[in-house]
Amino acid sequence: MGHRFDTKSVHVTMKRNGGIPAKVTPIHQTSAFTFENLADIEHFFEGERNYLYTRVGNPNTDELGQAVADLEEAPSGLATSSGLSAIMVGVLAAVKPGEHVLASNDLYGGTYELLANELTSFGIEVSFVSFEDDMEPYIQDNTVLLYTESLTNPLLRVEDLTKVVATAKKHNIKTMVDNTFATPYIVRPYTKGVNLVVHSATKYIGGHSDITAGVLVGDEDLIAAANTKCVNLGSNLSPFEAWLTVRGLKTLAVRMERHVQNAKQVAEALTNHPAVDKVYYPEFISEKGNGAIVSIDITENANIEQFLESLDWIKIVATLAGVETSVSYPLATSHRSLPPESQKELGITKGLIRISVGIEEAEDIIQTLKQALDIARK
Ligand SMILES: *Cc1c(COP(=O)(O)O)cnc(C)c1O
């Protein structure tokens, strides 16, 4: 190292990891990795050492991808910059131009936009049909992928993954499932034969509403292909966000346990409320419970605006799955761009509220929601 001040000021803080036995993985907040010599570079390309450049790979993003793969009982995983970029590289890994994706018609709005408006411009054909009915008649000669969600938004339809996988296998095609709402705590689609499982890690995987990230896990060959797409399309996650997501992931099970218990109680408590026409909360998904999203349809003669303004500490947000209870209004946010006929068909009404039940005391959540419903009904 040079000893002139300006040189020193550049190098003095660059302490290499001298084998410090840190208890948690340090943040490798670096855009690139150094090489000893030309032979060392060759070692990288021969697979004898890891890490070249963070867009191509980084210990923190690798840790997250592998951790979620382990939880999903899949062999391989990849972390990306967002849930949507994980979906993008997953679909691009499985589908070539000229091939067809058959997707469920009640997908997350952003996924719908990605498939319908962006991936079609890559030459990929997409059609959307109800997966509740038999999807088999819609499989075409060029169909290579069935795409759906294990638990849908906002009306919480539970996908019959056994049926989806059986249909796909019969036609020798692949399956991809968004497991964001259910999480591997409740459902592990890979164990049911699904090829690719995707998460908006922005939601329960991270759990604290402080990152935007995605994870894709599944078959080794598909994840390797998706990784190449991720590198070439620049969809990598930052090391710091990967680190925060891993930090959140450590408490996934305890968070989910509380989320699920609370959601069950909220669903029960609101079922007979006079301001509520209908409560959407699924049943029998797994012995671990039925997720932590509860949607309610508020009756026509109650005032929705007053309800939303009377929620006290419960905030209105266009996301879900944080430790704090929050609500969203699908008609104005996630399902805003749908034509009114589709909104009606999917049950996105004027009174529909999606509640992301947090990990607070259930009684406090119930009391606050009931109070707002009482005010709205006056
Ligand atoms: C939020 C969400 C996405 C998109 O994830 P981002 O992290 O916002 O890109 C995809 N699918 C579902 C079910 C989601 O809730």
Side-chain angles (χ1 to χ4, degrees):
M1 195 209 287
H3 291 285
R4 290 175 182 84
F5 181 82
D6 288 12
T7 307
K8 231 164 85 176
S9 66
V10 172
H11 287 267
V12 72
T13 55
M14 289 183 67
K15 297 215 170 56
R16 305 283 190 273
N17 181 349
I20 297 165
K23 184 158 176 276
V24 298
T25 309
I27 310 173
H28 296 271
Q29 190 71 22
T30 179
S31 63
F33 300 84
T34 59
F35 292 88
E36 295 294 326
N37 48 39
L38 284 178
D40 205 14
I41 297 178
E42 287 311 306
H43 291 155
F44 172 81
F45 287 99
E46 283 156 15
E48 287 161 20
R49 64 155 270 183
N50 287 327
Y51 304 121
L52 170 77
Y53 185 62
T54 279
R55 177 165 53 73
V56 177
N58 176 286
N60 295 106
T61 55
D62 283 2
E63 181 181 40
L64 174 60
Q66 197 51 54
V68 176
D70 289 348
L71 294 178
E72 288 280 7
E73 296 176 52
S76 205
L78 167 70
T80 69
S81 59
S82 67
L84 273 193
S85 65
I87 297 168
M88 173 178 74
V89 299
V91 172
L92 289 175
V95 187
K96 289 196 292 289
E99 292 179 334
H100 173 247
V101 180
L102 186 62
S104 162
N105 67 353
D106 51 359
L107 298 178
Y108 171 78
T111 306
Y112 174 82
E113 299 268 337
L114 170 69
L115 292 172
N117 302 336
E118 303 301 335
L119 292 181
T120 45
S121 70
F122 282 62
I124 289 171
E125 269 181 60
V126 187
S127 44
F128 299 91
V129 301
S130 165
F131 273 35
E132 223 163 354
D133 310 327
D134 188 12
M135 75 285 282
E136 199 168 354
Y138 303 98
I139 294 178
Q140 310 173 4
D141 289 343
N142 62 343
T143 306
V144 294
L145 184 70
L146 299 186
Y147 187 97
T148 189
E149 296 172 355
S150 49
L151 183 58
T152 68
N153 171 30
L155 299 182
L156 309 164
R157 182 176 69 82
V158 182
E159 187 62 271
D160 183 349
L161 294 177
T162 308
K163 180 181 90 176
V164 174
V165 168
T167 307
K169 291 226 158 114
K170 191 170 155 196
H171 291 266
N172 204 17
I173 62 183
K174 307 276 188 207
T175 46
M176 179 165 174
V177 169
D178 184 329
N179 200 31
T180 299
F181 272 46
T183 82
Y185 178 79
I186 291 171
V187 182
R188 288 184 284 282
Y190 193 81
T191 64
K192 295 175 190 271
V194 169
N195 302 98
L196 285 170
V197 180
V198 69
H199 281 276
S200 170
T202 314
K203 315 291 168 52
Y204 290 110
I205 298 288
H208 295 75
S209 313
D210 51 7
I211 50 102
T212 299
V215 178
L216 180 74
V217 308
D219 293 348
E220 228 151 338
D221 57 334
L222 287 172
I223 295 298
N227 188 48
T228 301
K229 300 291 176 196
C230 183
V231 170
N232 292 342
L233 292 165
S235 311
N236 56 293
L237 181 63
S238 85
F240 179 54
E241 286 191 285
W243 185 87
L244 275 176
T245 309
V246 164
R247 180 181 147 117
L249 186 63
K250 290 172 189 173
T251 56
L252 178 69
V254 285
R255 281 187 284 112
M256 287 311 293
E257 189 178 0
R258 181 67 168 255
H259 274 299
V260 162
Q261 280 170 7
N262 282 356
K264 183 166 179 278
Q265 290 180 58
V266 167
E268 278 164 9
L270 300 186
T271 294
N272 291 318
H273 194 282
V276 177
D277 279 342
K278 190 163 181 191
V279 173
Y280 296 89
Y281 188 62
E283 292 180 309
F284 314 122
I285 306 185
S286 92
E287 74 278 10
K288 287 295 183 74
N290 301 303
I293 309 294
V294 178
S295 293
I296 57 173
D297 219 336
I298 292 184
T299 192
E300 247 176 51
N301 40 34
N303 187 327
I304 277 283
E305 271 163 63
Q306 253 180 348
F307 170 76
L308 290 169
E309 283 167 15
S310 309
L311 284 168
D312 194 4
W313 54 272
I314 298 178
K315 300 289 182 249
I316 308 165
V317 295
T319 188
L320 62 125
V323 289
E324 310 88 355
T325 297
S326 63
V327 299
S328 82
Y329 188 55
L331 192 67
T333 53
S334 53
H335 294 71
R336 189 184 187 100
S337 55
L338 285 186
E341 315 86 74
S342 309
Q343 287 170 343
K344 200 162 164 224
E345 200 183 301
L346 294 176
I348 314 297
T349 60
K350 251 178 74 181
L352 188 72
I353 301 283
R354 188 187 71 199
I355 306 162
S356 171
V357 180
I359 64 168
E360 304 93 342
E361 288 273 341
E363 267 318 307
D364 286 329
I365 305 168
I366 290 166
Q367 206 177 36
T368 308
L369 289 167
K370 276 189 168 170
Q371 195 176 301
L373 285 168
D374 290 342
I375 294 170
R377 207 164 62 94
K378 280 191 186 133

